[in-house]
Amino acid sequence: MEIKKAHILIADGDGVSAEKIKTALEKGGYTAEALICDGIDAADACLTINPDVVFVDKELDLIGGLKAAAYMRSGGYDGIIILLSKAYDESLSERLPELGINGCIVKPVTEKFLLPWLHTKLTRDNDLKFLSKEKNSLLSALENRRLVEEANGIIAASKNVSIAEADKILTEKAKEKNVTKEELAKILVSVSAV
C-alpha cells in the first residue's frame, strides 16, 4: 500500500467532526469516506469496505468504538484501527494494543497534527508488515531446510549411503514425481513417523 493512496474510513457520530477529519485527510492526499453512524453500522461498513485505516469514535451509539473495534477484529479486519476520543485516558491508552486498537487521537482533530501523525503510523505499520513477511519467509525456508535434512537422513539410513548421495536421490525422485524437493521431503518425514 502506498501511504498516500491509503483508503480511510471515518466512523463518527458527529457529522461535523467526521467531515473535518475527511477534509484534512483529502488535503493530505488520502482517500477518505466519512460515515455518521452507530457502532454496529461502523463495524459492518469497515468489514464490507475493508479500508486500510478506520477511525472509530469511542462514543458511538448502540455499541461504542471499543466494542465496534472488537467486532471488526473478530470479523477478520486486519487494518489499522484508530480510536477517536473526547479526552485522553492514560489507562485506556495502555490497553489499546490488547483491544486490537492501533492508536488514539483526542478530538477535535487538527490537520496540522493529523497528517504527520497518520503518515508516521502508516509508515510504521508498513515496516512491521514487511518485517513480519520477511520473518515468515525465513521461518519457512528454515523449516524446508530442516525437512530436507531429515529426509536425507532417512534416505541415507535406509539405503546405507552418504548424506550427499541421499540428497541426490531426493532430488532425482522429486523430479520424477514433478514436485519440489521440499514437498517430497515433507512427505518422507511425515510417513517415517508412522
Side-chain angles (χ1 to χ4, degrees):
M1 155 188 62
E2 256 188 81
I3 290 175
K4 290 291 183 169
K5 300 285 184 184
H7 182 202
I8 301 169
L9 175 66
I10 304 124
D12 199 333
D14 177 355
V16 174
S17 172
E19 284 303 317
K20 276 180 136 177
I21 295 169
K22 179 181 182 217
T23 301
L25 291 169
E26 288 173 341
K27 281 183 184 178
Y30 297 99
T31 302
E33 292 179 59
L35 293 177
I36 291 74
C37 58
D38 61 43
I40 293 172
D41 289 340
D44 286 340
C46 177
L47 294 173
T48 301
I49 297 168
N50 196 29
D52 300 303
V53 179
V54 62
F55 286 87
V56 61
D57 187 8
K58 182 181 175 198
E59 304 299 323
L60 291 174
D61 286 338
L62 295 179
I63 62 171
L66 297 173
K67 290 183 181 178
Y71 179 63
M72 292 171 201
R73 292 295 187 212
S74 71
Y77 179 68
D78 67 350
I80 297 173
I81 299 176
I82 305 299
L83 189 68
L84 297 170
S85 180
K86 290 181 183 172
Y88 176 74
D89 179 344
E90 187 174 344
S91 64
L92 174 62
S93 291
E94 292 171 359
R95 293 184 24 239
L96 291 179
E98 70 190 55
L99 298 171
I101 298 171
N102 303 91
C104 181
I105 296 178
V106 177
K107 297 184 341 182
V109 179
T110 64
E111 180 181 331
K112 186 176 181 178
F113 167 81
L114 178 63
L115 296 178
W117 185 88
L118 182 60
H119 180 78
T120 301
K121 184 65 84 177
L122 288 169
T123 301
R124 182 174 178 267
D125 186 66
N126 278 348
D127 291 346
L128 290 174
K129 284 181 180 177
F130 174 77
L131 290 173
S132 178
K133 186 177 176 182
E134 286 293 306
K135 176 185 134 193
N136 290 339
S137 177
L138 288 171
L139 289 174
S140 178
L142 285 171
E143 177 61 10
N144 284 339
R145 189 70 225 149
R146 184 195 67 78
L147 288 170
V148 168
E149 292 297 328
E150 194 171 338
N152 285 339
I154 293 166
I155 294 168
S158 70
K159 299 221 180 261
N160 199 22
V161 296
S162 70
I163 294 293
E165 284 298 315
D167 193 58
K168 288 179 184 174
I169 292 168
L170 182 64
T171 301
E172 289 170 8
K173 292 292 182 185
K175 283 182 184 174
E176 286 175 20
K177 299 187 177 309
N178 200 26
V179 296
T180 66
K181 191 161 82 167
E182 292 78 11
E183 290 170 326
L184 184 56
K186 186 175 183 179
I187 294 167
L188 288 172
V189 169
S190 66
V191 297
S192 74
V194 177

